[in-house]
Amino acid sequence: GFQSLPEEEKSQKLISLGLLRLAVFEMLYRADVPPKVAINEALELSTRFGDAKAKSFINGILDAAIKAQEAGTLTVAGKADA
């Protein structure tokens, strides 16, 4: 499991998770932040703080999230107009 990973790998995974959470939050709750900007910010931060594999992973996940949001399958729970 996660606890058995080396500290460096744990750190990288937590950074990626935090960046994904931040970008998805901006996509869902911040109407003033275009989704592409949220993705670009996350990618820039992953370049600065993550490793090479993290950037492509984050890009893939957020690209799928933006497509799901556009299709209406990624919405805010309890929010009728999301």
Side-chain angles (χ1 to χ4, degrees), residues 8-39:
E8 179 67 24
E9 194 171 342
K10 281 186 207 177
S11 175
Q12 292 300 317
K13 289 183 181 298
L14 291 173
I15 289 169
S16 295
L17 179 60
L19 293 173
L20 286 167
R21 286 177 173 167
L22 175 63
V24 171
F25 172 85
E26 288 181 336
M27 289 168 54
L28 293 176
Y29 294 98
R30 297 284 311 266
D32 61 323
V33 178
K36 295 287 186 185
V37 172
I39 291 174

Side-chain angles (χ1 to χ4, degrees), residues 16-63:
S16 295
L17 179 60
L19 293 173
L20 286 167
R21 286 177 173 167
L22 175 63
V24 171
F25 172 85
E26 288 181 336
M27 289 168 54
L28 293 176
Y29 294 98
R30 297 284 311 266
D32 61 323
V33 178
K36 295 287 186 185
V37 172
I39 291 174
N40 285 337
E41 287 175 349
L43 294 177
E44 286 180 24
L45 289 170
S46 72
T47 299
R48 184 167 180 186
F49 298 107
D51 60 9
K53 291 185 280 185
K55 184 176 179 179
S56 60
F57 173 75
I58 290 169
N59 188 46
I61 297 294
L62 293 178
D63 185 56

